[in-house]
Amino acid sequence: MARPPRTSSALPLIAAAAPLLGACGGGNGDASAIPLADERGGGARIAEIVGDAGWLDPRDEESRRCAAPPARRAQVTGATLVAIDSFDETGEGARGNHYVQDSADKPVPYSGMTVFQPAFDPPDLRLIPGDVVDVLGELTEFLGPSAGRFGGCRTLPELGGTMSFRFEDRPAVPIRVPLDDLRGYASARPYIGMLVRVEGVRIAGDPSSRDGRYAASINVGAGVPPADVPSLSNELYDLEREGPPLADSASFRSVTGVLTYFYGFKIAPRCPADFELEGAPLPSDDACAP
């Protein structure tokens, strides 16, 4: 499918550089095959600004005395746009988040980020997954709504600010996450906001559907508090209507999706192709491309 047109404040610079690029491409107008030294920019990588939550305190059930770091200015450059939440599952505007991760052939932990309802530069910029972007704004370790914190000083790292387009690239590469890593906050936190692929997923109990939110718990074994049991959710598409069915004991060879956090961890598949059935081939990285 052809990509939609978009604008970018970088376009005048690209146009100005066109004659030089053409000269480097042998006189045929093609750009040089050698990438520019700063093609991903001089800003930070997400994995450089997010890390372990050393402020966790299980005794602080209402997160009243947390030593979480204060909000701080951050500039991330050269991150791949993984997914855009354009599905309003509640009918009340539950959309707008963008998910980005550091571009890499083999993603590493702490490479993902939730960008909370960003502004755009220029304002009419339209992005799609696979675009490489820059984000300038404020990094916050969000403790949860004031009406009810997440508890135990758990936080959701997120960026709020302005997003700009750098260049088009391939879809993000998912990181393989062991199912056991989703059994607790500390072990699952490194993958928040990342495109993850989890193998051997089995549904525990029938899915729940309330106020437009549809979720199915994942069987991660015994000994996990109910609040820590991860689930599959319909945050990015109409999972309940478009499937696949998530009845009790339904199993999948693997499930791919964005790992989100809000009072618990959820894998948010981007489309039905993110589910790999038993015996089926592994879906390609662009299976959910627009």
Side-chain angles (χ1 to χ4, degrees):
M1 180 181 295
R3 291 194 166 197
R6 86 285 299 283
T7 60
S8 168
S9 56
L11 291 181
L13 297 176
I14 295 174
L20 177 60
L21 292 176
C24 294
N28 59 5
D30 293 334
S32 170
I34 302 175
L36 299 177
D38 63 345
E39 71 168 344
R40 299 197 181 276
R45 303 295 173 254
I46 298 169
E48 297 172 350
I49 62 174
V50 181
D52 293 340
W55 53 86
L56 292 179
D57 185 357
R59 300 167 298 176
D60 191 352
E61 297 181 359
E62 298 182 2
S63 296
R64 292 183 175 180
R65 302 174 300 278
C66 303
R72 59 193 188 276
R73 197 73 169 163
Q75 181 187 20
V76 171
T77 61
T80 299
L81 183 59
V82 173
I84 301 172
D85 182 4
S86 58
F87 176 58
D88 182 9
E89 66 270 25
T90 66
E92 298 177 350
R95 60 187 173 193
N97 286 349
H98 287 52
Y99 298 95
V100 299
Q101 72 181 43
D102 293 332
S103 305
D105 291 333
K106 295 183 179 180
V108 299
Y110 290 113
S111 292
M113 178 65 67
T114 302
V115 184
F116 180 70
Q117 296 181 338
F120 300 97
D121 181 21
D124 62 348
L125 176 64
R126 296 296 179 265
L127 299 168
I128 61 174
D131 287 341
V132 174
V133 299
D134 299 343
V135 187
L136 176 63
E138 191 172 72
L139 174 62
T140 304
E141 290 287 351
F142 181 53
L143 286 160
S146 57
R149 301 298 190 186
F150 296 142
C153 294
R154 301 178 181 194
T155 57
L156 167 64
E158 60 182 16
L159 269 173
T162 301
M163 184 175 288
S164 57
F165 173 73
R166 184 168 283 272
F167 59 86
E168 295 180 3
D169 202 8
R170 60 182 180 172
V173 177
I175 184 171
R176 292 180 181 271
V177 176
L179 190 60
D180 282 350
D181 282 4
L182 301 183
R183 289 169 54 91
Y185 178 87
S187 57
R189 173 181 164 88
Y191 311 110
I192 294 177
M194 295 189 69
L195 185 65
V196 304
R197 177 167 290 149
V198 180
E199 298 176 345
V201 174
R202 186 166 174 264
I203 304 302
D206 289 328
S208 63
S209 182
R210 181 179 180 183
D211 299 327
R213 301 188 187 277
Y214 179 76
S217 297
I218 299 172
N219 188 338
V220 289
V224 180
D228 285 342
V229 174
S231 61
L232 302 176
S233 75
N234 67 334
E235 296 172 59
L236 299 180
Y237 84 98
D238 195 345
L239 176 57
E240 184 173 12
R241 293 186 180 183
E242 297 181 29
L246 300 180
D248 183 23
S249 297
S251 62
F252 303 93
R253 185 174 181 180
S254 74
V255 177
T256 301
V258 178
L259 186 68
T260 67
Y261 180 80
F262 202 81
Y263 297 107
F265 284 98
K266 302 176 182 66
I267 298 175
R270 301 161 297 171
C271 72
D274 271 339
F275 290 85
E276 181 190 10
L277 300 176
E278 297 291 346
L282 190 68
S284 62
D285 292 340
D286 63 352
C288 293

